[in-house]
Amino acid sequence: MDFSLSPEHQMTQKMVRDFAQKEIAPVIKEYDRKQEPIPFALKRMGELGILGLPFPVRYGGAGMDYIAWGLACEELEAVDTSLRVVMSVHTGLCGMTIFQWGTEEQKQKFLVPLAKGEKIGCGVFTEPGMGSDVAAMRTSAKRDGDSYIFNGEKMWISLASKADLALVTAKTNPSSSTKASEALSTFVVDLHSPGVTRGDIHGKLGVRAGSTGWINFQEVRVPVENRIGEEGEGFKITMTGFDHGRYTVSSGATGIIRAALEASLKYAKTRTTFGKPIAEHQLIQEKIARMSQDYEIARLLYLQAGWMQNMGLRNTLEISYAKKFATEASFSAANEAIQIHGAYGFSDEFDVERYLRNSKGAVIYEGSSEIQTLIQAGYAFGERTDKPLRCELPAYDEAFWQG
């Protein structure tokens, strides 16, 4: 086992950290207060190659591996969750799913502009009242010649108002005799098509500098060639997409733990009570030690999941471990950071209150902690196995990725 980062990993880490710390950190408080996305963020992430980081060069990507992708998410979320959400939705749910399941023609048509940042993508799955029950979605896609006609409503969609393309899962076989999980299919939908309406959701607890909204489809015509995979494969395609998203969520949440730890260390060394810095009080040291421990565990879990993907190994269980642990630990770390900051932590004068608000969302989205518990129990009892998929995500091969 080699736990060291390669020079390429370190280069990626530094590049993303410099962008986040130098360009985003100085303005994030302003846009979080205004509840508006940072206007230049998406463009800069595209220019720097961050949006296409884990895709082969031949598809417009940076040719980096899955570990580099995780490192980038950690650095982005250490500044603000809204940046990592872009990597989860644009690069993970949308781009990586097309990379895994799309035909060569579809990759050239859709993945290349996504990887280059020329177009922005999102993943469109959640519906009002559906929650984590993906098989219960009601949006329909009815075959009509060489097209499908979409009707339905999607909710809580990150980048809904910013995206050009959406990876949408809809019901293509409404027959009562068809298993719910086999009635779904997945498509790339042009969000500038007639019949598409969308808007933003305001008043969120956290990720206020991120775009979250709703999308409605009313008689939207989508070409058959935009279908990803075969009819009836939408459920498993969506589940593999969630694996990609959960990987970025876990690595990003690790960044919040680190940020909360660093902020707490800085404050504890300067704040004085009872005649000495609070860093010398044992109860403060206990909180710091727990954050430090949780950071190391969360980091190892997501690096393990990234390494497995580099090797071409299925890692649904390992990603579930990483997602549940890191997101819960990030919420705990942010909460403890506020406690260490005292009254100041209750104000947005310090970043730790934003870390707490942002961290709560990750315990819910991309499969809640309760869903992760069910996944892990299913593996433990032998009820879940990693059956071979028709389209497995390829192992990282430097010659292929960078050739």
Side-chain angles (χ1 to χ4, degrees):
M1 293 180 286
D2 183 357
F3 292 94
S4 61
L5 299 180
S6 70
E8 292 76 19
H9 291 146
Q10 295 176 39
M11 175 191 68
T12 300
Q13 191 177 48
K14 183 180 185 304
M15 181 269 290
V16 178
R17 180 177 296 183
D18 286 348
F19 159 70
Q21 296 288 344
K22 295 178 181 179
E23 300 186 41
I24 302 299
V27 301
I28 183 56
K29 190 174 296 184
E30 171 191 355
Y31 286 96
D32 185 77
R33 284 172 172 169
K34 294 194 297 185
Q35 300 191 42
E36 296 177 3
I38 299 172
F40 61 83
L42 286 173
K43 181 179 179 182
R44 282 294 289 147
M45 291 172 74
E47 291 171 347
L48 293 170
I50 298 173
L51 296 181
L53 197 68
F55 301 120
V57 172
R58 69 184 66 193
Y59 297 126
M64 301 302 293
D65 68 358
Y66 303 106
I67 288 178
W69 189 20
L71 293 170
C73 291
E74 178 183 333
E75 295 302 328
L76 291 171
E77 190 149 8
V79 171
D80 193 67
T81 303
S82 62
L83 300 176
R84 190 272 305 151
V85 166
V86 174
M87 297 295 280
S88 296
V89 175
H90 170 93
T91 308
L93 291 177
C94 188
M96 193 60 73
T97 305
I98 294 172
F99 177 50
Q100 178 174 358
W101 290 90
T103 63
E104 183 63 27
E105 182 181 2
Q106 289 171 333
K107 292 174 187 177
Q108 293 296 333
K109 182 177 180 180
F110 302 122
L111 181 57
V112 170
L114 290 172
K116 291 182 177 180
E118 296 171 351
K119 291 187 176 181
I120 300 301
C122 65
V124 180
F125 311 107
T126 305
E127 298 181 1
M130 186 190 86
S132 297
D133 188 2
V134 175
M137 67 175 59
R138 301 175 65 181
T139 296
S140 64
K142 184 178 180 181
R143 183 71 180 261
D144 181 35
D146 57 0
S147 299
Y148 288 85
I149 306 299
F150 274 66
N151 284 283
E153 180 182 6
K154 300 289 187 176
M155 195 70 170
W156 297 110
I157 307 302
S158 297
L159 299 178
S161 65
K162 306 298 179 186
D164 302 292
L165 301 174
L167 194 75
V168 183
T169 297
K171 185 169 291 186
T172 49
N173 189 343
S175 172
S176 59
S177 62
T178 303
K179 287 178 58 178
S181 61
E182 297 176 357
L184 306 175
S185 302
T186 300
F187 304 80
V188 176
V189 179
D190 183 347
L191 292 180
H192 302 292
S193 301
V196 176
T197 55
R198 45 187 169 156
D200 290 315
I201 297 171
H202 299 287
K204 297 178 295 180
L205 173 67
V207 201
R208 292 179 177 175
S211 166
T212 308
W214 52 269
I215 301 177
N216 287 348
F217 302 100
Q218 186 171 4
E219 298 294 307
V220 178
R221 188 171 291 273
V222 178
V224 171
E225 62 260 28
N226 284 25
R227 189 185 66 223
I228 303 296
E230 303 297 329
E231 272 202 13
E233 289 188 320
F235 182 82
K236 60 184 176 183
I237 291 175
T238 300
M239 292 300 103
T240 60
F242 284 166
D243 277 354
H244 308 322
R246 287 167 185 166
Y247 176 63
T248 64
V249 172
S250 64
S251 51
T254 305
I256 288 187
I257 302 172
R258 194 187 82 208
L261 172 61
E262 291 173 349
S264 298
L265 285 169
K266 181 180 178 181
Y267 188 81
K269 291 175 182 178
T270 57
R271 174 77 164 103
T272 300
T273 63
F274 304 102
K276 60 182 178 181
I278 63 172
E280 296 182 19
H281 295 301
Q282 287 186 345
L283 291 178
I284 299 297
Q285 292 176 0
E286 180 186 22
K287 296 177 188 297
I288 294 292
R290 187 181 300 114
M291 288 186 213
S292 178
Q293 171 184 274
D294 285 352
Y295 172 69
E296 294 299 330
I297 295 172
R299 186 171 181 272
L300 287 171
L301 284 171
Y302 91 70
L303 289 176
Q304 175 189 233
W307 174 84
M308 291 180 69
Q309 195 62 76
N310 279 351
M311 297 297 104
L313 303 173
R314 289 285 295 280
N315 56 0
T316 297
L317 176 60
E318 289 73 19
I319 286 176
S320 180
Y321 287 148
K323 198 273 183 185
K324 185 176 189 295
F325 181 86
T327 55
E328 292 182 351
S330 69
F331 183 74
S332 175
N335 188 46
E336 293 285 46
I338 288 179
Q339 199 71 14
I340 290 171
H341 283 71
Y344 289 107
F346 201 65
S347 162
D348 69 357
E349 179 182 348
F350 287 83
D351 291 332
V352 291
E353 68 86 31
R354 191 177 77 253
Y355 299 156
L356 182 68
R357 290 189 288 104
N358 287 350
S359 66
K360 183 56 184 174
V363 182
I364 301 171
Y365 54 61
E366 298 282 5
S368 65
S369 285
E370 289 78 10
I371 290 295
Q372 303 312 314
T373 298
L374 293 176
I375 291 172
Q376 293 162 24
Y379 278 98
F381 281 106
E383 297 166 359
R384 290 181 61 110
T385 58
D386 287 330
K387 298 177 181 178
L389 294 170
R390 182 174 61 80
C391 294
E392 296 283 4
L393 197 63
Y396 179 79
D397 177 79
E398 186 174 0
F400 176 82
W401 249 252
Q402 299 186 1

